[in-house]
Amino acid sequence: MHSTEIEIRTGGSAVVADLTREVERFLADVPGGAEDGLLHVWVPHATAGLAVLETGAGSDDDLLAALDELLPRDDRWRHRHGSHGHGRDHVLPAFLPPYATVPVLGGALALGTWQSVCLVDTNIDNAVRRVRFSFLAG
């Protein structure tokens, strides 16, 4: 197994951050080469998740809009520390888990044509996130 952790600055607004290029760089640096196996991505945070989706054509913005409708940033949440409506950020990982696993074939991610590995962060109180990549050889 080969593993590393990166830091992503997400800023002060909700974001869908495409991690695909960082994952590809990670796979290129696997000692002995990453052939067939699994890429596991992990976000060690209680208020962020991962998604595999299309980006750049509006789907990332649609996801954030859907999360705003499903999990409004208002006073309904029992978890009340942080910014207004922050409790919803603690519910997010139940909908977008903090992990994703993608097959790696011949050293390349076996993603569909429009798929990207993305960090989804709606927590405006924490602008820095850690993401761990692990490659498990097959």
Side-chain angles (χ1 to χ4, degrees), residues 20 23-28 30 33-39 102-112 117 135:
T20 309
V23 169
E24 290 169 342
R25 279 193 288 275
F26 164 74
L27 290 173
V30 170
E35 285 301 316
D36 293 352
L38 295 173
L39 168 77
V102 179
V104 176
L105 301 173
L109 292 169
L111 292 170
V117 178
F135 175 71

Side-chain angles (χ1 to χ4, degrees), residues 13-93:
S13 60
V15 297
V16 175
D18 190 339
L19 302 173
T20 309
R21 297 286 177 258
E22 288 89 347
V23 169
E24 290 169 342
R25 279 193 288 275
F26 164 74
L27 290 173
D29 291 341
V30 170
E35 285 301 316
D36 293 352
L38 295 173
L39 168 77
H40 186 75
V41 184
W42 171 252
V43 180
H45 298 283
T47 59
L50 293 161
V52 176
L53 75 154
E54 178 182 11
T55 61
S59 297
D60 37 358
D61 292 330
D62 289 342
L63 174 59
L64 293 176
L67 290 171
D68 283 342
E69 282 186 37
L70 183 64
L71 305 170
R73 190 172 289 282
D74 59 21
D75 291 330
R76 75 184 68 201
W77 309 103
R78 291 183 182 101
H79 188 104
R80 296 201 182 260
H81 77 83
S83 62
H84 178 74
H86 174 64
R88 74 93 175 243
D89 299 324
H90 286 272
V91 176
L92 175 81

